[in-house]
Amino acid sequence: MNSKKLNLKIAFTLFLAIFLVALAINTGIAEEHAEEVVVTEASGDVEGAAEEAVEEESVPYVEDEYRNFFGIDGRLVVWIISQLHLLFAAFVLAVPLFVVIIEAIGAKTNQIKFDNLARELTKLLSTAFATTAALGGLLAFALYGLYPGFMRYMTGVFHPYMFIYALCFFGEVFFLYAYYYSWDLLKTGKGKWLHVFLGVMLNVFGTTLMMLANSWATFMMAPSGIDMKTGAVLDRSAAFFNFLWMPVNIHRIIANVAFGGFVVGAYAAVKFMGAKTEEDKAHYDWMGYIGNFIGLAAFIPLPFAGYYLGREIYSASPVMGNIMMGGAFSWTFIIQAILIGMMFVGGNYYLWNGMARIKGAERYTPYIKYINIVIFFCFAVWLTPHNLPLSGEERALIGEQYHPFSKFFGVMAAKNAVVNLLILSTFFSFLLYRRANKGETMPFKSHGNGARITLVITVGLTVMYLIWYSMGLKGQDLNEAIRPYMSPLLTCIKIQIVALICALFLTFTNRGKLAQTLLFVVAASISVVYFWYYGFVLMEKANMVLRFLSVTQVSIVISTLIVNTVIDVFLFKNAKEVGGIQWGKIPNRAQYALLLLCVAIVTLMGLMGFIRSGLRMNWHVYGFMQDKSAGAFTPSIAYMGWVVALIVFLFLSLVAIVFWLGSLYGRKEKHV
Amino acid sequence: MKSFLKSAVFSLCILGFFVFVCMYVTGLSGGGGGGGGATGINPEAGEAIYWGDGQCHTCHSIGTSGSATRGPNQEGLAARAEERAKEAGLSSGLEYLVESIVDPSAFVVEGYDNIMPKVYDAPIMLGREQIQAVLTYLQTLGGEPNIEAVAKYAEKIPEASGDAVAPWVPPIDVDIKEGELVFFDESRGVTCSKCHVLNGKGSKVGPDLTGIGAVQTPQYLIESVLKPSEIIVKGFETMYLMTNDGMAYNGLLVSQDEDEVVLMVDEDGAMEEYVFYPDEIAQMQKQDVSIMPGNFQDMLTTKEFYGVILFLLSQK
């Protein structure tokens, strides 16, 4: 009976929604044509003559370059729809990436809980997929309808790839539904691995789809393969494989995984808070932990991918690069810093709260307050602007344009240093969490030759990368006066290489913890302390070398993260547990941290979407096709804030509805 | 339901905080968004362009305003420009400023890279009037603005490019590489390189097409291939020559002086030079018909034709 009532309610709600949408559209059309109707009625008495006159006066059809949407600015409509589509697409592309891994872990370790989790996430995926597709269709209609001239050109350039896109879409749909509906059919033995294969194919098609669409967006930013004066297509494949295509692909894949992880985390948080039984609480606590783990794991390398993308934007167009970091968009990066800072704080806060449910974690709690201080310090430095417009009075009081103390925190040298410190600190938090319920480490020798070979390969690859990069530094064609400023960078890389090799031997002699400490100390000393100072020296004397400093900094930190992760895996493999993890015994406030992470990353994606798209300023295709519409100007940050907030609100509301609809089926099953 | 509502309120609070920060930052940065701006040739308009559409501030600070260090600080620029003009042998500091904007690589200040873009080109594309406004503003940095003097340099400042250019794409999907093959393929009768030189390859019967894409429009090229006699490049007109013994020749005039006339004549597809002495020439007259075949529409497929056009347009 209850189920029947519920179905009736859903049917009525849907009917009401469709009715209201139809009414709104009809009203718009009616208003648009109101004027025509009045004119027609007024001339009703001379109807026949008017018809003839219309025939005589009919003018040839001229296509508009721009239109609006029932009086609403076309740009605003496209902005909202494209960002909503992108957010849903990010979710449906990212979730299969880790669902397949979770399922494979479950199949390999025979733990049904992993399989159940993968299945639950796929259920969310299948309901979100239809919304993504619908928004994609709406976006295409909006673009062709509101920007016909621009889309005519884009279709001319990319039409062969558009057909491939459609084929990939079919492929994705096929494998998604095959993956979802064959779960019970292929649940044992070889069938399970065939099922995993279906999931892999789903990812292949999904990722290809994303990369195809990325090329259109990056072509607009850094066009290639066309005549920049006439627009003639000279080399279609060059237009596709344009300069920013791969940096955006890499950045988006990593960001999507972080996004998917945090959205899943928020879903679990809401479910956890509403759970009635201990069993449900334990399940959703674990799901939240997995979501946060995936989100943070992808979030840590994201600034590096972002840095790479930013650097390539500079290389593609120095003017665009300057607009991004020193021009109209520089202030948006302060807002970005606030959001990213919130996420790092939230992620760490969740980990620390999570340690409360782990017996043995109390050994590490004294460290948390120090990590807390470090993270807030980094956050504060990151959001310090370089220069604030000071009033005459303030300037007179201070005696100079910049604040004598805070000016040292506003420059790139300081920001780069704290980003690396933030990443190192979060990684440290993560290591503490991993070992919270573990007792003494296992001797490295006990893991056999496989562990040795893995570690040698890991250290070998990171050392090879550092050598390759330092050779690149040596080969730079620099002025003789500037060249000496490169040598400290090379020395630091050498020190890191020595530290990595020492860490390898220390681990072999069962002193893995010491090896990890050594790497942390060396990386923090070089990349944070020394390079912070040296960044100022370079700003004063050899500005050109600054870009090499940043990459050196990142390379040293990332080599530390990679090697320390591998050492940590072997240190605690098969280690005795001090106490079990009491899933479900986590305070509710930790769930709010998960919600914060989700809202912050959705907002961050909205903000970054604005920046990436806005960097083209008044160009549809940068440097070739100008945007001559009324909305060609860059809106204020406040306006952007309202629009992005609206988009985030719409996205979260739609997600809530979609997930709720998805859960109805499960509820019915349970009821039965 | 209660937990969901709590979550919703919490999420809205975060969004509210985000909007608050955006509004606060807008007030702090003084950035009210684009869309408007001063106009005319005056220092006020120039200042707005310098800190706005011109993007000058992303590389040049002025005193303590701005934080860019990629280009020289422009404080006291007008006075400095006078000194540099003297060193460079220019008539005035203004001329130095004009030269520096029109050709940014002309004077690169020591210690800085040659990275300044041409602001009248894409993507900045300042109009002539806007550049003049910026010049008047730059004059105020350590000097007095002189709008009349700036106006005299108007002709020297290029007009923003790109505005009037309509995008051209071939009506069908073509491959530029196929166009290149057709151009140089000597195995067929329509080889363009039999008569045209391109990047040092081919014969010099017709005009050299090296860099043709930089100087000619697609429409011109299409017309020249389909209707070669419509526009004949000067020096490549066909000459009709009749000898005293009644033989008639049509060819390109290679040279002509008191002693001889040399014609390049098509002999069954191969171009050969013929020398005539003045006493054997009965009649000689320029023709309105090009020596270039006028039936390319029959000899090339549509795809090949547009491929050749695209290939020629890419030659810059």
Side-chain angles (χ1 to χ4, degrees):
Chain A
M1 187 66 188
N2 281 341
S3 164
K4 208 172 182 179
K5 268 187 180 176
L6 188 69
N7 287 340
L8 277 171
K9 272 184 189 172
I10 295 166
F12 181 69
T13 313
L14 283 173
F15 169 74
L16 205 63
I18 293 166
F19 176 73
L20 287 173
V21 169
L23 195 69
I25 292 171
N26 202 34
T27 309
I29 294 169
E31 276 174 11
E32 200 174 52
H33 292 281
E35 213 170 292
E36 282 175 35
V37 173
V38 171
V39 172
T40 314
E41 277 175 3
S43 58
D45 51 342
V46 284
E47 209 172 292
E51 269 177 26
E52 276 177 35
V54 166
E55 262 180 40
E56 278 170 18
E57 287 168 17
S58 101
V59 286
Y61 172 71
V62 179
E63 193 168 39
D64 298 325
E65 284 298 302
Y66 301 103
R67 299 192 189 101
N68 61 34
F69 182 78
F70 302 112
I72 303 169
D73 179 17
R75 174 175 73 165
L76 182 65
V77 173
V78 169
W79 182 357
I80 293 172
I81 296 173
S82 60
Q83 191 60 53
L84 276 175
H85 172 60
L86 204 129
L87 292 169
F88 268 98
F91 183 76
V92 298
L93 292 175
V95 171
L97 285 172
F98 51 77
V99 158
V100 172
I101 297 170
I102 292 170
E103 192 195 3
I105 292 170
K108 184 87 182 153
T109 58
N110 271 331
Q111 291 189 67
I112 192 69
K113 68 174 182 177
F114 283 102
D115 198 67
N116 287 341
L117 178 66
R119 191 171 191 172
E120 188 169 357
L121 295 178
T122 310
K123 195 169 75 182
L124 300 181
L125 192 67
S126 58
T127 44
F129 189 79
T131 318
T132 314
L135 282 166
L138 188 60
L139 175 62
F141 292 144
L143 281 170
Y144 280 102
L146 304 177
Y147 290 86
F150 161 66
M151 285 309 289
R152 200 166 50 238
Y153 180 71
M154 287 296 279
T155 310
V157 179
F158 287 107
H159 61 91
Y161 299 104
M162 288 176 174
F163 293 111
I164 301 172
Y165 183 90
L167 282 175
C168 284
F169 184 74
F170 281 121
E172 195 188 13
V173 171
F174 172 78
F175 280 105
L176 172 65
Y177 289 109
Y179 184 64
Y180 182 55
Y181 288 110
S182 64
W183 212 290
D184 287 325
L185 190 71
L186 303 169
K187 64 180 175 186
T188 50
K190 282 183 182 168
K192 191 69 198 165
W193 291 106
L194 178 63
H195 191 255
V196 171
F197 172 75
L198 289 177
V200 171
M201 289 309 293
L202 165 64
N203 281 303
V204 168
F205 277 100
T207 309
T208 311
L209 202 66
M210 181 199 72
M211 288 165 86
L212 282 163
N214 282 351
S215 80
W216 309 334
T218 52
F219 170 80
M220 289 164 68
M221 292 175 79
S224 56
I226 60 163
D227 184 316
M228 290 300 282
K229 282 208 162 54
T230 63
V233 184
L234 306 177
D235 186 348
R236 206 178 302 279
S237 59
F240 181 84
F241 298 106
N242 56 71
F243 199 74
L244 292 179
W245 183 60
M246 197 41 84
V248 165
N249 285 337
I250 292 170
H251 192 257
R252 272 202 174 153
I253 288 173
I254 300 173
N256 285 356
V257 173
F259 175 82
F262 289 136
V263 171
V264 165
Y267 168 79
V270 176
K271 287 283 201 181
F272 176 90
M273 288 192 283
K276 298 281 188 293
T277 64
E278 288 301 312
E279 191 192 348
D280 276 356
K281 271 188 181 290
H283 173 68
Y284 288 114
D285 180 17
W286 182 65
M287 187 195 258
Y289 162 75
I290 297 283
N292 184 57
F293 172 82
I294 293 164
L296 269 187
F299 196 61
I300 286 174
L302 198 54
F304 302 135
Y307 182 83
Y308 168 53
L309 173 59
R311 201 181 128 111
E312 294 305 299
I313 288 175
Y314 256 107
S315 305
S317 166
V319 175
M320 190 186 268
N322 286 351
I323 290 168
M324 178 172 68
M325 296 311 291
F329 289 85
S330 56
W331 280 91
T332 55
F333 283 90
I334 299 293
I335 301 168
Q336 184 214 31
I338 292 170
L339 287 170
I340 292 178
M342 276 165 66
M343 293 183 69
F344 272 110
V345 171
N348 280 283
Y349 182 77
Y350 176 79
L351 285 178
W352 302 330
N353 270 287
M355 284 165 82
R357 57 164 132 71
I358 304 172
K359 279 182 184 171
E362 58 282 354
R363 291 168 296 166
Y364 301 109
T365 43
Y367 297 109
I368 287 169
K369 57 179 172 289
Y370 300 113
I371 302 174
N372 219 344
I373 293 166
V374 169
I375 287 173
F376 274 97
F377 168 72
C378 294
F379 189 12
V381 173
W382 203 357
L383 59 87
T384 306
H386 184 195
N387 59 337
L388 293 171
L390 299 180
S391 66
E393 270 179 40
E394 288 166 332
R395 206 176 297 177
L397 198 68
I398 292 172
E400 56 175 316
Q401 173 67 16
Y402 304 125
H403 190 277
F405 182 62
S406 74
K407 69 179 178 187
F408 295 110
F409 301 119
V411 291
M412 249 357 242
K415 290 183 196 300
N416 279 341
V418 295
V419 169
N420 286 289
L421 183 58
L422 206 53
I423 289 166
L424 283 170
S425 309
T426 305
F427 183 70
F428 185 67
S429 263
F430 197 66
L431 290 189
L432 289 186
Y433 185 88
R434 260 182 59 80
R435 64 186 63 185
N437 72 330
K438 299 284 169 63
E440 271 314 295
T441 56
M442 293 294 287
F444 188 79
K445 282 178 187 169
S446 67
H447 300 304
N449 283 337
R452 276 202 198 94
I453 292 167
T454 308
L455 194 59
V456 168
I457 289 173
T458 309
V459 172
L461 286 175
T462 48
V463 166
M464 274 165 64
Y465 164 73
L466 289 173
I467 292 172
W468 170 77
Y469 180 66
S470 56
M471 284 167 72
L473 284 184
K474 275 184 184 171
Q476 289 296 325
D477 183 21
L478 289 173
N479 188 313
E480 282 308 309
I482 291 175
R483 185 165 284 282
Y485 289 97
M486 290 285 261
S487 56
L489 305 187
L490 294 166
T491 310
C492 287
I493 292 176
K494 279 178 201 160
I495 294 170
Q496 176 68 3
I497 290 172
V498 172
L500 288 169
I501 294 167
C502 288
L504 177 75
F505 287 110
L506 283 171
T507 311
F508 279 176
T509 53
N510 296 330
R511 279 178 285 183
K513 279 186 181 173
L514 183 62
Q516 284 184 313
T517 311
L518 172 76
L519 286 179
F520 266 122
V521 169
V522 171
S525 306
I526 295 174
S527 286
V528 181
V529 181
Y530 176 66
F531 280 170
W532 191 335
Y533 155 76
Y534 193 59
F536 283 104
V537 175
L538 291 181
M539 277 175 65
E540 283 283 313
K541 296 177 178 169
N543 208 13
M544 283 285 294
V545 182
L546 261 181
R547 56 189 158 146
F548 302 116
L549 174 107
S550 316
V551 182
T552 311
Q553 218 166 5
V554 164
S555 303
I556 287 171
V557 168
I558 215 159
S559 63
T560 295
L561 298 190
I562 292 169
V563 175
N564 262 354
T565 305
V566 176
I567 293 174
D568 207 67
V569 166
F570 289 115
L571 273 181
F572 292 97
K573 193 180 174 189
N574 306 327
K576 195 181 166 190
E577 287 189 2
V578 173
I581 303 174
Q582 295 174 297
W583 293 111
K585 304 286 181 198
I586 188 169
N588 263 5
R589 59 177 181 274
Q591 308 309 314
Y592 286 102
L594 290 178
L595 283 174
L596 169 80
L597 287 167
C598 171
V599 179
I601 199 159
V602 177
T603 313
L604 186 63
M605 283 183 77
L607 172 73
M608 298 319 285
F610 165 73
I611 297 173
R612 192 198 54 71
S613 187
L615 285 179
R616 287 181 279 111
M617 306 293 278
N618 54 339
W619 295 92
H620 288 309
V621 179
Y622 199 62
F624 159 62
M625 184 184 267
Q626 272 190 294
D627 179 357
K628 292 175 181 168
S629 68
F633 64 93
T634 303
S636 73
I637 293 174
Y639 179 82
M640 176 278 295
W642 281 108
V643 176
V644 170
L646 173 68
I647 291 167
V648 175
F649 174 75
L650 287 173
F651 172 73
L652 293 176
S653 306
L654 280 170
V655 163
I657 292 168
V658 164
F659 286 181
W660 173 69
L661 286 172
S663 69
L664 291 179
Y665 178 69
R667 242 186 255 175
K668 194 181 166 190
E669 265 188 341
K670 266 187 183 178
H671 189 73
V672 170
Chain B
M1 193 63 186
K2 201 176 160 191
S3 61
F4 177 76
L5 285 175
K6 277 183 183 175
S7 307
V9 171
F10 180 72
S11 304
L12 284 175
C13 288
I14 300 169
L15 279 182
F17 174 69
F18 170 73
V19 174
F20 165 74
V21 171
C22 290
M23 292 174 77
Y24 182 71
V25 164
T26 305
L28 206 62
S29 64
T39 53
I41 303 174
N42 54 65
E44 292 73 32
E47 185 175 11
I49 295 163
Y50 186 98
W51 297 98
D53 290 347
Q55 310 294 339
C56 317
H57 71 290
T58 60
C59 291
H60 299 282
S61 310
I62 298 179
T64 52
S65 299
S67 57
T69 54
R70 293 176 200 91
N73 191 309
Q74 305 293 43
E75 191 173 32
L77 175 67
R80 227 170 28 250
E82 291 295 341
E83 290 166 23
R84 295 216 176 110
K86 278 180 196 163
E87 289 166 18
L90 300 174
S91 62
S92 66
L94 181 59
E95 190 182 356
Y96 173 82
L97 294 178
V98 172
E99 285 289 327
S100 302
I101 290 176
V102 172
D103 180 11
S105 56
F107 306 107
V108 179
V109 177
E110 202 181 329
Y112 293 91
D113 289 329
N114 183 12
I115 55 169
M116 180 164 156
K118 287 177 178 163
V119 292
Y120 45 85
D121 271 349
I124 298 178
M125 296 233 310
L126 288 186
R128 185 179 284 161
E129 193 177 284
Q130 288 176 301
I131 294 175
Q132 285 177 284
V134 172
L135 283 166
T136 61
Y137 172 59
L138 295 179
Q139 283 183 314
T140 65
L141 306 173
E144 289 295 320
N146 186 343
I147 296 170
E148 279 179 21
V150 169
K152 284 180 189 165
Y153 284 98
E155 289 304 312
K156 223 172 173 190
I157 300 166
E159 195 49 272
S161 57
D163 242 10
V165 177
W168 184 84
V169 283
I172 57 162
D173 190 14
V174 295
D175 185 358
I176 192 168
K177 288 182 184 112
E178 193 180 347
E180 185 179 2
L181 278 177
V182 172
F183 191 95
F184 289 110
D185 186 2
E186 297 206 348
S187 64
R188 51 196 291 179
V190 289
T191 313
C192 313
S193 60
K194 270 186 187 170
C195 297
H196 294 283
V197 174
L198 188 75
N199 300 326
K201 276 165 75 180
S203 306
K204 290 181 181 173
V205 178
D208 187 339
L209 298 182
T210 305
I212 187 78
V215 291
Q216 291 302 355
T217 61
Q219 286 72 21
Y220 175 87
L221 290 177
I222 291 168
E223 202 162 298
S224 299
V225 178
L226 294 180
K227 299 173 187 169
S229 301
E230 291 283 310
I231 307 164
I232 301 171
V233 178
K234 206 175 171 191
F236 291 93
E237 299 91 347
T238 312
M239 194 66 81
Y240 170 78
L241 189 146
M242 184 180 269
T243 55
N244 289 331
D245 55 5
M247 295 288 285
Y249 298 89
N250 264 318
L252 285 174
L253 184 67
V254 177
S255 64
Q256 181 180 13
D257 54 29
E258 288 173 0
D259 301 327
E260 60 181 31
V261 172
V262 183
L263 273 193
M264 180 87 79
V265 178
D266 185 357
E267 283 291 335
D268 300 326
M271 300 303 289
E272 286 183 13
E273 278 189 0
Y274 280 69
V275 180
F276 302 93
Y277 300 105
D279 56 358
E280 59 178 337
I281 299 171
Q283 192 188 351
M284 201 169 119
Q285 198 178 347
K286 268 189 188 174
Q287 300 288 92
D288 291 336
V289 180
S290 170
I291 193 172
M292 182 165 157
N295 59 340
F296 277 101
Q297 61 267 47
D298 303 327
M299 296 195 283
L300 293 173
T301 64
T302 313
K303 212 174 170 200
E304 286 172 337
F305 169 72
Y306 280 111
V308 171
I309 298 293
L310 205 54
F311 171 64
L312 291 175
L313 283 169
S314 72
Q315 301 302 309
K316 293 180 192 284

